[in-house]
Amino acid sequence: NWDDRCAATDIATTIVNTFLVRLLHNTFEDEMGTTTFENFVFFNAIPYRVVDQLLASDSSLWWDNIGTPERETKSDIIKKSFTEAVTNLAANLGEDLKTWQWGSVHTVTFNHPFGRRKFLEKVFNIGPFPTGGSGTSLDKTEYRFMSPYAVTVGPSMRFIVDLSRPEDAFIVNTSGESGQVFHRHYNDQTPLWLNGGYVPMTMDWKEITSGNYVHLRLEP
């Protein structure tokens, strides 16, 4: 019944992504070794394409785990990966499937350089927030396969403009217009970014200069 939408409230999305991470480990890590495997999955587009092709093959040598005496099949690796995924989710999120929502593990944080310090992260960082999307969804919120499932890649800005009326547009970024942590515009766009909202933006210079805007002038 999964609609493939990768919403933050999805349960199937959580299972599919957890299964995918285990499938990558169980398929490639035995042949590659840990270091080469980490390099292989670093750029997500490569394993996504490879797995898609590999799943179409029943006879690939990649399916066999070279660390065991028996020869594993595609079915064996898929079953093993799915079992591990469900076991992992039950251990980390509980036995009740209602708690397995994608947003409970797939979160986004907009980090400030000062937020790297543990005692400053709650002051400077914005988040974490539950979010939808994935590495292959239209609203892309990619995570690293070696450190699932926190968002590492996503749209830093969304911008909509009607080219027949370029003076009227809509825009949103991940945080706000100000980089000053206690400014009211430091993080006021984050709720819009999370929920697909926008703010109007004009490129009409007359309106900009005569409107009720705060002007910041940078002089050498």
Side-chain angles (χ1 to χ4, degrees):
N1 295 325
W2 185 36
D3 59 9
D4 303 332
R5 293 181 62 87
C6 298
T9 55
D10 281 352
I11 294 170
T13 300
T14 313
I15 297 172
V16 168
N17 281 274
T18 309
F19 162 74
L20 175 61
V21 171
R22 294 313 311 157
L23 181 68
L24 290 172
H25 280 278
N26 291 329
T27 304
F28 298 110
E29 195 168 11
D30 55 309
E31 284 92 353
M32 292 182 174
T34 301
T35 301
T36 302
F37 175 76
E38 289 178 357
N39 292 331
F40 169 65
V41 299
F42 180 80
F43 183 53
N44 289 31
I46 295 174
Y48 274 128
R49 288 199 299 265
V50 170
V51 165
D52 193 45
Q53 297 169 7
L54 191 62
L55 286 170
S57 170
D58 293 328
S59 58
S60 174
L61 294 176
W62 287 107
W63 295 124
D64 180 42
N65 184 344
I66 63 174
T68 63
E70 63 272 13
R71 182 182 177 88
E72 284 80 11
T73 64
K74 179 174 75 170
S75 179
D76 293 329
I77 298 301
I78 288 176
K79 289 177 181 178
K80 174 179 171 64
S81 302
F82 186 80
T83 300
E84 290 176 354
V86 173
T87 301
N88 177 279
L89 288 170
N92 291 308
L93 300 179
E95 297 287 343
D96 186 355
L97 266 67
K98 293 179 181 178
T99 65
W100 294 11
Q101 293 189 0
W102 183 224
S104 64
V105 293
H106 186 60
T107 61
V108 60
T109 302
F110 305 113
N111 295 297
H112 190 283
F114 291 168
R116 296 174 183 174
R117 299 283 185 177
K118 191 71 176 176
F119 62 94
L120 292 176
E121 62 182 1
K122 292 189 180 299
V123 176
F124 288 92
N125 293 347
I126 303 171
F129 302 102
T131 189
S134 73
T136 60
S137 63
L138 183 62
D139 183 13
K140 187 173 184 179
T141 52
E142 186 175 294
Y143 61 86
R144 298 293 184 202
F145 287 125
M146 291 305 298
S147 55
Y149 301 90
V151 177
T152 56
V153 176
S156 60
M157 180 186 73
R158 301 189 185 103
F159 184 59
I160 300 174
V161 59
D162 181 348
L163 295 180
S164 68
R165 297 181 57 192
E167 67 277 4
D168 296 317
F170 298 91
I171 193 170
V172 69
N173 64 32
T174 55
S175 52
E177 282 295 302
S178 175
Q180 302 176 53
V181 67
F182 296 114
H183 195 282
R184 65 190 179 94
H185 293 310
Y186 180 67
N187 60 2
D188 59 340
Q189 291 190 35
T190 301
L192 297 173
W193 187 93
L194 291 167
N195 296 289
Y198 292 83
V199 294
M201 186 187 77
T202 182
M203 288 184 278
D204 185 326
W205 186 244
K206 290 182 179 180
E207 183 179 341
I208 292 172
T209 54
S210 63
N212 185 26
Y213 293 98
V214 175
H215 290 262
L216 174 64
R217 183 184 297 274
L218 302 177
E219 298 179 349

